[in-house]
């Protein structure tokens, strides 16, 4: 996780049981996102369900998780409509793909997570960070507004007041500070990051995949729905969930007093 990988690709992948480990693999650029890396990530998130993997573990090679967008390896865009077009086809498409991914995503963050790297951490279903990791809102200080859906994701996690302080003042938060205010799930000693994140991904991979996907979808819309709409969504999702093989296994294991053996279908 913290070192270089053997694959000479912007994104390195390897299968670990039911988990697909996905490593941002541009350590010399601190894993800044360029078009090639973005497109590979899109392939992973868009193809996750068909691939048969039941969880994704996202980490970064080298000294940091992700330093943001690679401005040197991306075609510059002009102001106005040209900028909006480029954003829709790049950053926003990547964020949407990750949020819509039906497979649970665990992010393991060490070093810096800045710009779009911050979004990748926040958009993960579970974010585990080293205590000395740094979450950096590198937007306003460059004369830009926050992008990558950060203004939607952050208030849900830490509230408006803390979001304003973080984004407007631009003060980085350590992994420990981020965990303390609920921005991420957990912060651990750097030496425990690998094992903690791997365990979280393996645990999610052992759960009923369809149920997790439905739960993720409902949570993603929770802040936009009133109670009546939420209850309707619950009914629809539960109707789908009860028809899965994993739901039948869950019931059988309860009555047979044994641990369930979910198969992801």
């Amino acid at each position: 996780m913290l070192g270089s990988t053997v694959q000479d690709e912007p994104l390195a992948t390897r299968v670990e049981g039911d988990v697909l480990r996905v490593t941002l693999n541009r350590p010399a650029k601190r894993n800044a996102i360029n078009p090639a890396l973005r497109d590979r990530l899109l392939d992973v998130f868009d193809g996750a369900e068909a691939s048969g993997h039941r969880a994704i573990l996202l980490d970064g090679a080298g000294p940091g998780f992700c330093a943001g967008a690679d401005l040197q390896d991306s075609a510059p865009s002009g102001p106005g409509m040209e900028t909006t077009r480029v954003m829709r086809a790049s950053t926003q498409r990547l964020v949407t793909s990750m949020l819509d991914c039906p497979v649970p995503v665990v992010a393991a963050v060490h070093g810096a997570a800045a710009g779009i790297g911050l979004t990748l951490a926040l958009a993960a279903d579970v974010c585990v960070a080293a205590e000395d990791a740094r979450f950096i809102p590198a937007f306003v200080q460059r004369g830009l507004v926050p992008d990558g859906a950060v203004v939607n994701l952050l208030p849900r996690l830490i509230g408006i007041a803390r979001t304003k302080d973080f984004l407007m003042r631009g003060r980085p938060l350590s992994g420990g500070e981020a965990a303390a205010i609920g921005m991420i799930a957990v912060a651990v000693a750097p030496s425990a990051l690998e094992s903690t994140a791997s365990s979280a991904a393996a645990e999610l991979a052992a759960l009923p995949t369809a149920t997790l996907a439905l739960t993720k979808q409902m949570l993603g819309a929770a802040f936009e729905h009133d109670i009546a709409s939420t209850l309707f969504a619950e009914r629809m999702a539960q109707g789908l969930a009860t028809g899965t093989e994993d739901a039948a296994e869950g019931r059988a294991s309860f009555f047979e007093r044994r641990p369930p053996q979910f198969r992801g279908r």
Side-chain angles (χ1 to χ4, degrees):
M1 181 183 297
L2 303 183
S4 60
T5 67
V6 296
Q7 293 176 256
D8 187 21
E9 295 286 342
L11 192 73
T13 61
R14 70 175 185 267
V15 177
E16 299 175 350
D18 289 322
V19 176
L20 178 65
R21 183 186 288 269
V22 177
T23 301
L24 307 177
N25 191 34
R26 304 184 72 220
K29 293 281 191 174
R30 297 185 180 271
N31 300 319
I33 305 293
N34 67 353
L37 178 51
R38 178 200 67 215
D39 291 346
R40 290 290 307 277
L41 281 170
L42 283 168
D43 289 342
V44 168
F45 295 136
D46 290 344
E49 188 171 31
S51 72
H53 303 300
R54 296 175 60 185
I56 293 171
L57 176 54
L58 178 66
D59 62 15
F65 178 68
C66 176
D70 187 342
L71 301 180
Q72 294 181 330
D73 196 17
S74 301
S77 59
M81 292 304 296
E82 174 64 12
T83 293
T84 65
R85 182 192 66 78
V86 170
M87 285 182 63
R88 183 173 61 249
S90 55
T91 303
Q92 293 183 344
R93 185 177 168 214
L94 175 58
V95 173
T96 300
S97 177
M98 185 175 182
L99 291 172
D100 289 344
C101 180
V103 174
V105 179
V106 175
V109 178
H110 73 287
I116 187 60
L118 174 64
T119 294
L120 292 176
L122 298 178
D125 299 299
V126 176
C127 180
V128 181
E131 292 171 337
D132 60 358
R134 297 173 73 239
F135 294 90
I136 305 171
F139 301 106
V140 172
Q141 284 67 32
R142 294 177 183 168
L144 302 173
V145 300
D147 59 23
V150 166
V151 296
N152 180 279
L153 297 170
L154 261 180
R156 301 178 183 214
L157 297 168
I158 62 176
I160 288 289
R162 283 185 171 135
T163 295
K164 284 183 176 180
D165 183 68
F166 178 61
L167 293 180
M168 291 183 175
R169 294 175 65 193
R171 183 180 70 85
L173 293 177
S174 70
E177 290 172 321
I181 64 174
M183 182 186 291
I184 62 172
V186 63
V188 297
S191 60
L193 179 60
E194 169 87 24
S195 60
T196 303
S198 294
S199 294
E203 182 179 346
L204 288 168
L207 294 172
T209 307
T211 304
L212 287 179
L214 290 167
T215 301
K216 177 175 178 176
Q217 187 177 46
M218 290 197 304
L219 286 170
F223 283 75
E224 282 74 45
H225 286 173
D226 57 22
I227 291 296
S229 299
T230 297
L231 294 176
F232 176 78
E234 285 180 1
R235 293 195 299 273
M236 296 300 101
Q238 201 71 289
L240 295 172
T242 53
T244 64
E245 292 182 18
D246 281 342
E249 167 62 10
R251 291 190 296 271
S253 64
F254 174 80
F255 289 114
E256 295 169 12
R257 299 179 181 275
R258 60 174 176 79
Q261 299 294 318
F262 296 120
R263 303 177 64 188
R265 55 193 183 193

